[in-house]
Amino acid sequence: MNHFGIFDGTSIELQICRVKEFSIPLCQFCEAQPALPGDIYCCAGCRVLDQNHTDESDTRIATPTEKSEEDVMIYSSFAKKIGNNIEFKCRVDPLACEACLQSLAAINDRFPALINLKWDRERSLLSLIFTKDNYFPSLIFNHLKDLSLNPQWVKINEDTEKSYNSQQKKLLRLGLTGAFAGNIMLFAVPVYGGLSGEWLRIFEWIQFAFFLPVFFWSAVPFYRTAFVSLKLKTLNVDIPLTFAFIVGSIFSFYQIFTGGHALYFDSLSGFFFLILSSRYLLESSIEKYLIRPQFSDFFEKSFFNILRIDTGSHANSSEIPILASWQDIQINDIIIAKRNERLPVDGILIDRGAEFETAWMNGESHPVLRLRGSEISAGSRLVSNQAKIQVTKTAKDTEFAKLIEQLEPSSEKLRVTTEAKIGTGLVIFCFLSAALLFIFAPQLGATELLKRSIAIFIVACPCAISFAAPLSRARANHLARKIGFWVRDPEIWSRLQNIKKIAFDKTGTLTSGQLKLAHHSPLIDDHWKKIILSLENISQHPIAESLRKTWGEMSLFEVKNAQEILGLGVQGEISGNNYRIQKSTAIDSTHISLELYQNDEKVLELSLTEEARHSLTSALEFFKKNFELFIISGDRQKKVQQFAQQHNFIAQNVFGDLNPQKKLETLKKIEPDLYFGDGTNDLLALKYAPVSVAALGACREAQSSSDILMLKADIDLVPELIELSFEIKKINRRNFILALTYNLASAIAAIMGLVHPLVAALLMPIASLTLLGSTFMATSKVREIEKRITT
Amino acid sequence: MNIMFLLIPIALLLAGSFMAAFYWASKNGQWDDLDLPQYKMLLDHKQKGEKNEPQ
């Protein structure tokens, strides 16, 4: 049992139900750890690579002689010219293992038309470079799709370039500031060693020369943040930091120009390097590849096949097939949707019937049958083979587009961090001390008073606090990643300590989103399983997928006249017998029942139900002891209530039949501190909740709207994350106490004239090292978690 | 101490060259992709434009 409490004295005891065991079987292909317990592969990429691995997979793909229409369309929307070359950028799912990296590297070798392929790990962006006359982006795109990397074209615009340039600048700033600080220190050592005369002046001027770029270039982002914060009248740690830095620098400039030797170039530049490093580390430890979803991100394909009615000058109208992007689809166009395509527009089904998944509305991944004339809303995904839909509303006017619009970042008030408060407090303290010194000890003389005041600013500068806090968060992010969570917002660590209410979506969050066999009659032996799987082999319906997953792979019978019956099931002939699998007519809200007929005689009944998420029971045991729990689901009320009853949720805390907007309204009434979701219908809720978690398998858009991504299926890992947040708070508190004690003691010594500028310059790095040590030492619990994960 | 007249410029030159090298590398995208090149060099990579020879 692990125990942890709350800081403010009103401690509660949270009990972690079980200590995680990390002895999960490794990936069959690359030997990495699988995310899903019981899975034989660590990622979808490994599954594809293992199943399709043949000698042919290493052969080169010849460059096509002609560009396809799609290539031209992709070029017109996504290309960027670089000299004689063309660059396309494409976002892919983060690569989970070495095998996927290798398969990505091999693309460059397999496609001679591709000049270069670069992968930006941080943003999970692939850069494809072709010559300007010889580009085949669709070829690579389809290959990435085959590798299950879920590619999406990205428009190379100011935003993408800005994000890339800012990352590049940060690294450059960090590297060069490190070099400047290192050289300043190198030339400061002889000064501390007692250098005198002409050489002392030369060494000091060299330090000054190295310090100039730090003052005029490295520190610019700090000046900017401080200025913006002052303008917005909000506290930010960069305000006191900038102030102390400027005061120390101007004093040192004054000293060097007037022949004085009280210089702080080494301390100031060293600090800036430490602060830049800790912020860079923190940024590297958080997920950055997911960006706020745009409307276009919801569609796997950038272009849709449509029939446009051309009335032209002729009396007879004709339908012209064209390829159009979602913005160009007009009212009355007929969109020819293919299997798995999501619709960008509202329309009316003009085919006989088709099955659609409407998870964006209700979170339900199981398709519903729609007949000719039915209204189909944008965001629905076609599950059947092909369907024609006549457009009634263009993309921007649909409810789906309005939902996405609401994900625009709101002008939230900037949160004031503890380090900002302490930092500002320290600067005010320095000011007051200096003022008091000038008022009560004028007999010391102007030069001495100035020296002491500057010494106060230098020793009480909040630099140590401002780099220790991001460092501890970076460490927590790193540990969380190992436990199974990818943190997207480092500020969540303080919010995780205040959790009282937790709300869950049901389908895909509390359940795995997969169907499992609940019962069957009579007993199904391998023969019947083989018949069912052989018949279902032609279907990509979720039921067929679930059966394949439940029973695994086996050799199949040859099926003659195999046919999928829309909305009903599958049929075919095996060894002279006619078989049919169809949904049962008996309606049960919690189960999906199937019947197998042999020559029109019912021989078997199967019942499938949603599978609860792995380790849900033990996780709920922990949650119920410590928090108030809610279910907020888009699924049918009866189904949700039944699930809640099975898992002992309080009936009045369970809400069903909610569309995304109603979900948000319910959430606003309940005010949960933590929300778990996975689907498009959870986007608004995930954005609204103080801390939002995207369950494993959540859609990319849900991941983009969450603060934390689950990298493993086990929901009972969440207590460990909460425990970690309390440990981080302990480390931060210890650092703050250490820094404050040091700052106050040194400031008092400086007021009394006991701190010579040289000593002050030496004391600062000592304080930093102490805090660095304290952060790396962490707490015994953090070390214990670390040890457990690594073993 | 005359040796200092030689050592200091050498130290500054060294520092300057390393910084210039770092600046060049950073501006030319040398840190853009630190993952794929290690695998690419292990592949049987042909020069672009090189024709497949008959086996």
Coordinates of all heavy atoms in Angstrom, one line a residue, chain A residues 596-633:
Chain A
L596 N -26.7 -17.8 -36.1 CA -26.1 -18.5 -37.3 C -27.1 -19.5 -37.8 O -27.6 -20.4 -37.1 CB -24.8 -19.2 -36.8 CG -24.1 -20.1 -37.9 CD1 -23.6 -19.2 -39.1 CD2 -23.0 -20.9 -37.3
Y597 N -27.4 -19.4 -39.1 CA -28.4 -20.3 -39.7 C -27.6 -21.2 -40.7 O -26.7 -20.8 -41.4 CB -29.4 -19.6 -40.5 CG -30.4 -18.8 -39.6 CD1 -30.1 -17.6 -39.1 CD2 -31.6 -19.4 -39.3 CE1 -31.0 -16.9 -38.3 CE2 -32.5 -18.7 -38.5 CZ -32.2 -17.5 -38.0 OH -33.1 -16.8 -37.1
Q598 N -27.9 -22.5 -40.6 CA -27.4 -23.5 -41.6 C -28.6 -24.0 -42.4 O -29.5 -24.6 -41.9 CB -26.7 -24.6 -40.9 CG -26.0 -25.6 -41.8 CD -25.4 -26.8 -41.1 OE1 -25.9 -27.2 -40.0 NE2 -24.3 -27.3 -41.6
N599 N -28.6 -23.7 -43.7 CA -29.7 -24.0 -44.6 C -31.0 -23.6 -44.0 O -31.9 -24.4 -43.8 CB -29.7 -25.5 -44.9 CG -28.4 -26.0 -45.6 OD1 -27.8 -25.2 -46.4 ND2 -27.9 -27.1 -45.2
D600 N -31.1 -22.3 -43.6 CA -32.3 -21.7 -43.0 C -32.7 -22.3 -41.6 O -33.8 -22.0 -41.2 CB -33.5 -21.7 -44.0 CG -33.2 -20.8 -45.1 OD1 -32.5 -19.8 -44.9 OD2 -33.7 -21.1 -46.3
E601 N -31.9 -23.0 -41.0 CA -32.2 -23.6 -39.7 C -31.2 -23.0 -38.7 O -30.0 -23.0 -38.9 CB -32.1 -25.1 -39.7 CG -32.6 -25.7 -38.5 CD -32.3 -27.2 -38.4 OE1 -32.2 -27.9 -39.5 OE2 -32.1 -27.8 -37.3
K602 N -31.8 -22.4 -37.6 CA -30.9 -21.8 -36.6 C -30.1 -22.8 -35.9 O -30.7 -23.7 -35.3 CB -31.8 -20.9 -35.7 CG -30.9 -20.1 -34.7 CD -31.6 -18.9 -34.1 CE -32.4 -19.4 -32.9 NZ -33.0 -18.3 -32.2
V603 N -28.8 -22.7 -35.9 CA -28.0 -23.7 -35.2 C -27.2 -23.1 -34.0 O -26.7 -23.8 -33.2 CB -26.9 -24.3 -36.2 CG1 -27.6 -25.3 -37.1 CG2 -26.2 -23.2 -37.0
L604 N -27.1 -21.8 -34.0 CA -26.3 -21.2 -32.9 C -26.7 -19.7 -32.6 O -27.2 -19.0 -33.5 CB -24.8 -21.1 -33.5 CG -23.7 -21.2 -32.6 CD1 -23.7 -22.6 -31.9 CD2 -22.4 -21.0 -33.3
E605 N -26.5 -19.4 -31.4 CA -26.8 -18.0 -31.0 C -25.6 -17.4 -30.2 O -25.0 -18.1 -29.4 CB -28.0 -17.9 -30.0 CG -29.3 -17.5 -30.7 CD -30.4 -17.4 -29.7 OE1 -30.1 -17.1 -28.5 OE2 -31.5 -17.6 -30.1
L606 N -25.2 -16.2 -30.6 CA -24.1 -15.6 -29.9 C -24.5 -14.3 -29.3 O -25.4 -13.6 -29.9 CB -23.0 -15.2 -30.9 CG -22.3 -16.3 -31.8 CD1 -21.4 -15.6 -32.8 CD2 -21.5 -17.2 -30.9
S607 N -23.9 -13.9 -28.2 CA -24.3 -12.6 -27.7 C -23.0 -11.9 -27.4 O -22.1 -12.4 -26.7 CB -25.1 -12.8 -26.4 OG -25.3 -11.6 -25.8
L608 N -22.9 -10.6 -27.9 CA -21.7 -9.8 -27.7 C -22.0 -8.6 -26.8 O -23.0 -8.0 -26.9 CB -21.1 -9.3 -29.0 CG -20.7 -10.4 -30.0 CD1 -20.7 -9.8 -31.4 CD2 -19.4 -11.0 -29.7
T609 N -21.1 -8.3 -26.0 CA -21.3 -7.1 -25.1 C -20.0 -6.3 -25.1 O -18.9 -6.8 -25.4 CB -21.7 -7.5 -23.7 OG1 -22.1 -6.4 -23.0 CG2 -20.6 -8.3 -22.9
E610 N -20.1 -5.0 -24.7 CA -18.9 -4.2 -24.6 C -18.0 -4.6 -23.5 O -18.4 -4.9 -22.4 CB -19.4 -2.7 -24.3 CG -19.5 -1.9 -25.5 CD -19.8 -0.5 -25.1 OE1 -20.9 -0.3 -24.6 OE2 -18.9 0.3 -25.3
E611 N -16.7 -4.6 -23.8 CA -15.7 -5.1 -22.9 C -15.3 -4.0 -22.0 O -14.9 -2.9 -22.4 CB -14.5 -5.6 -23.7 CG -13.5 -6.3 -22.9 CD -12.3 -6.7 -23.8 OE1 -12.0 -6.0 -24.8 OE2 -11.7 -7.8 -23.5
A612 N -15.3 -4.2 -20.6 CA -14.9 -3.2 -19.7 C -13.4 -3.0 -19.8 O -12.7 -4.0 -20.2 CB -15.2 -3.6 -18.3
R613 N -12.9 -1.8 -19.6 CA -11.4 -1.6 -19.8 C -10.6 -2.4 -18.8 O -11.1 -2.7 -17.7 CB -11.1 -0.1 -19.6 CG -9.8 0.3 -20.1 CD -9.7 1.8 -20.1 NE -10.1 2.4 -21.4 CZ -9.3 2.4 -22.5 NH1 -8.1 2.0 -22.4 NH2 -9.8 3.0 -23.6
H614 N -9.5 -2.8 -19.2 CA -8.6 -3.6 -18.4 C -8.4 -2.9 -17.0 O -8.1 -1.7 -17.0 CB -7.3 -3.8 -19.1 CG -6.3 -4.7 -18.4 ND1 -6.4 -6.0 -18.3 CD2 -5.2 -4.3 -17.7 CE1 -5.4 -6.5 -17.6 NE2 -4.7 -5.5 -17.2
S615 N -8.4 -3.7 -16.0 CA -8.1 -3.2 -14.6 C -9.1 -2.1 -14.1 O -8.8 -1.4 -13.2 CB -6.7 -2.7 -14.4 OG -6.5 -1.5 -15.1
L616 N -10.3 -2.1 -14.7 CA -11.3 -1.1 -14.3 C -11.8 -1.3 -12.9 O -11.9 -0.3 -12.1 CB -12.5 -1.1 -15.3 CG -13.6 -0.1 -15.0 CD1 -13.2 1.3 -15.2 CD2 -14.9 -0.4 -15.8
T617 N -12.0 -2.5 -12.5 CA -12.5 -2.8 -11.2 C -11.6 -2.3 -10.1 O -12.0 -1.6 -9.2 CB -12.8 -4.3 -11.0 OG1 -13.4 -4.8 -12.2 CG2 -13.6 -4.7 -9.8
S618 N -10.3 -2.6 -10.2 CA -9.4 -2.2 -9.2 C -9.2 -0.7 -9.2 O -9.1 -0.1 -8.1 CB -8.0 -2.9 -9.3 OG -7.5 -2.6 -10.6
A619 N -9.3 -0.1 -10.4 CA -9.2 1.4 -10.4 C -10.4 2.1 -9.8 O -10.2 3.0 -9.0 CB -9.1 1.8 -11.9
L620 N -11.6 1.5 -10.1 CA -12.8 2.1 -9.5 C -12.8 2.0 -8.0 O -13.3 2.9 -7.3 CB -14.0 1.5 -10.1 CG -14.3 1.9 -11.6 CD1 -15.6 1.2 -12.1 CD2 -14.5 3.4 -11.7
E621 N -12.2 0.9 -7.5 CA -12.2 0.7 -6.1 C -11.4 1.8 -5.4 O -11.8 2.4 -4.4 CB -11.4 -0.7 -5.8 CG -11.7 -1.3 -4.5 CD -10.9 -2.6 -4.4 OE1 -11.0 -3.5 -5.3 OE2 -10.1 -2.7 -3.5
F622 N -10.3 2.2 -6.1 CA -9.5 3.3 -5.5 C -10.2 4.6 -5.7 O -10.3 5.4 -4.8 CB -8.2 3.4 -6.3 CG -7.4 4.7 -6.1 CD1 -6.7 4.9 -5.0 CD2 -7.5 5.6 -7.1 CE1 -6.0 6.1 -4.8 CE2 -6.9 6.9 -6.9 CZ -6.1 7.1 -5.8
F623 N -10.8 4.9 -6.9 CA -11.5 6.1 -7.1 C -12.6 6.3 -6.2 O -12.8 7.4 -5.7 CB -12.0 6.2 -8.6 CG -10.9 6.3 -9.6 CD1 -11.0 5.6 -10.8 CD2 -9.8 7.2 -9.4 CE1 -10.0 5.7 -11.8 CE2 -8.8 7.3 -10.4 CZ -8.9 6.6 -11.5
K624 N -13.4 5.3 -6.0 CA -14.6 5.4 -5.1 C -14.3 5.8 -3.7 O -15.0 6.5 -3.0 CB -15.5 4.1 -5.2 CG -16.3 4.0 -6.4 CD -17.0 2.7 -6.4 CE -17.4 2.4 -7.9 NZ -17.6 0.9 -8.0
K625 N -13.1 5.3 -3.2 CA -12.7 5.6 -1.8 C -12.4 7.1 -1.7 O -12.5 7.6 -0.6 CB -11.5 4.8 -1.5 CG -11.8 3.4 -1.0 CD -10.6 2.7 -0.6 CE -10.8 1.2 -0.4 NZ -9.6 0.4 -0.4
N626 N -11.9 7.7 -2.7 CA -11.3 9.0 -2.6 C -12.0 10.1 -3.3 O -11.8 11.3 -3.0 CB -9.9 9.0 -3.1 CG -9.0 8.0 -2.3 OD1 -8.7 8.2 -1.1 ND2 -8.7 6.9 -2.9
F627 N -12.8 9.8 -4.3 CA -13.4 10.9 -5.1 C -14.9 10.6 -5.4 O -15.4 9.4 -5.3 CB -12.7 11.0 -6.5 CG -11.2 11.0 -6.4 CD1 -10.4 10.0 -6.9 CD2 -10.6 12.1 -5.8 CE1 -9.1 10.0 -6.8 CE2 -9.2 12.2 -5.7 CZ -8.4 11.1 -6.2
E628 N -15.6 11.6 -5.8 CA -17.0 11.5 -6.3 C -16.9 11.2 -7.8 O -16.3 11.9 -8.5 CB -17.8 12.7 -6.0 CG -19.3 12.5 -6.0 CD -20.1 13.8 -5.8 OE1 -19.5 14.8 -5.4 OE2 -21.3 13.8 -6.0
L629 N -17.6 10.1 -8.2 CA -17.5 9.7 -9.6 C -18.8 9.9 -10.4 O -19.9 9.8 -9.8 CB -17.2 8.2 -9.7 CG -15.9 7.8 -8.9 CD1 -15.6 6.3 -9.2 CD2 -14.7 8.6 -9.3
F630 N -18.6 10.3 -11.7 CA -19.8 10.5 -12.6 C -19.5 9.8 -13.9 O -18.4 9.6 -14.3 CB -19.9 12.0 -12.9 CG -20.2 12.8 -11.6 CD1 -19.1 13.3 -10.8 CD2 -21.5 13.2 -11.3 CE1 -19.3 14.1 -9.7 CE2 -21.7 13.9 -10.1 CZ -20.6 14.4 -9.4
I631 N -20.6 9.4 -14.5 CA -20.5 9.0 -15.9 C -21.3 9.9 -16.8 O -22.5 10.2 -16.5 CB -21.0 7.5 -16.1 CG1 -20.3 6.5 -15.3 CG2 -21.0 7.1 -17.6 CD1 -20.7 5.1 -15.5
I632 N -20.7 10.5 -17.8 CA -21.3 11.4 -18.7 C -21.2 10.8 -20.1 O -20.1 10.9 -20.7 CB -20.7 12.8 -18.6 CG1 -20.7 13.3 -17.2 CG2 -21.3 13.8 -19.6 CD1 -20.0 14.6 -17.0
S633 N -22.2 10.2 -20.6 CA -22.1 9.4 -21.9 C -23.0 9.9 -23.0 O -24.1 10.4 -22.7 CB -22.3 8.0 -21.5 OG -22.2 7.2 -22.7

